[in-house]
Amino acid sequence: MKMIDVMKQNKPYCSSYSDNPSELQTIAKTLCWKYNQTSPSSHEERAMILDELLGTYNPSAYIEPMFFCDYGFNIHMKGFVFINHNCVILDTSPVIIVQGVFIGPGVCIACAGHAIHTEQRLEGIGTSSPITIEDNVWIGANATLCGGVTIGESSIVGAGSVVKQDIPSGVIAAGVPCKVIREVTDADRIDHGQLFHG
């Protein structure tokens, strides 16, 4: 089995860094560079680049520059997604971002890891596990999602959090490491009478 096929599987794996297809990483880096040089008004050009870069691109997905990823082909956006500035996705495994997802500035989504034992780390042995972000999730600014986690539907991950375990659906979670604080309830609704109407 080729390394690229292993990387596309939705399960954890270990490999040597030399096994990773560097030529595909170069393609992704080039497309990210092109994307990050585009004008804010270049909607069609940006869509064309994302369609070429990402494994699954939905036209209702929007990414603010600067944006960086390892390969692109392992990033799958199923519907409306908004990714704010300076997001990094290390997609050595599949990253599934469903729909209705908001990702704040400075977020790092890292499937990739290193061997814990020093000798193996210096040998270039790495790990990778997929990440899933379900419907209607909000990831706060500067949060980090580590390999193997799933963020449950309609949950919120607080700014600056480090997520190392699955987050269930319908909760607010935050901290280092990220832990569930409470459920999202109707008490969290904003009173429409308080909204500004210009």
Side-chain angles (χ1 to χ4, degrees):
M1 180 180 290
K2 293 182 179 179
M3 188 61 203
I4 188 171
D5 296 322
V6 173
M7 295 171 71
K8 288 182 177 181
Q9 291 185 31
N10 202 33
K11 60 183 182 180
Y13 70 88
C14 298
S15 70
S16 168
Y17 303 150
S18 61
D19 293 333
N20 292 346
S22 58
E23 68 281 1
L24 295 178
Q25 197 172 54
T26 300
I27 293 170
K29 287 181 178 180
T30 301
L31 289 170
C32 285
W33 180 86
K34 288 181 179 179
Y35 189 83
N36 292 331
Q37 308 308 309
T38 58
S39 163
S41 61
S42 301
H43 304 299
E44 290 185 9
E45 182 182 2
R46 286 184 174 184
M48 289 175 61
I49 294 171
L50 291 179
D51 190 43
E52 183 177 356
L53 173 64
L54 303 180
T56 306
Y57 168 65
N58 188 291
S60 61
Y62 188 83
I63 301 176
E64 289 277 13
M66 309 289 280
F67 173 73
F68 304 94
C69 65
D70 269 343
Y71 296 98
F73 62 75
N74 258 337
I75 301 172
H76 303 281
M77 298 182 184
K78 305 295 187 175
F80 167 73
V81 175
F82 180 83
I83 298 178
N84 218 319
H85 301 283
N86 298 319
C87 179
V88 175
I89 301 181
L90 306 182
D91 59 314
T92 49
S93 289
V95 175
I96 310 299
I97 305 174
V98 189
Q99 61 181 349
V101 174
F102 291 81
I103 296 177
V107 168
C108 179
I109 300 171
C111 295
H114 301 281
I116 293 174
H117 194 282
T118 305
E119 290 182 6
Q120 290 187 320
R121 189 164 60 250
L122 294 176
E123 289 172 9
I125 295 176
T127 62
S128 187
S129 296
I131 294 173
T132 299
I133 303 173
E134 296 183 346
D135 290 354
N136 307 318
V137 165
W138 173 19
I139 308 294
N142 297 309
T144 298
L145 309 187
C146 298
V149 303
T150 294
I151 312 300
E153 181 177 352
S154 299
S155 284
I156 296 169
V157 172
S161 298
V162 177
V163 184
K164 300 180 70 176
Q165 295 182 331
D166 291 352
I167 302 299
S169 298
V171 301
I172 298 172
V176 180
C178 189
K179 296 180 179 179
V180 174
I181 297 172
R182 64 176 178 84
E183 293 184 351
V184 177
T185 70
D186 283 343
D188 293 306
R189 289 183 180 275
I190 295 172
D191 182 353
H192 283 74
Q194 296 177 339
L195 295 177
F196 172 77
H197 298 283

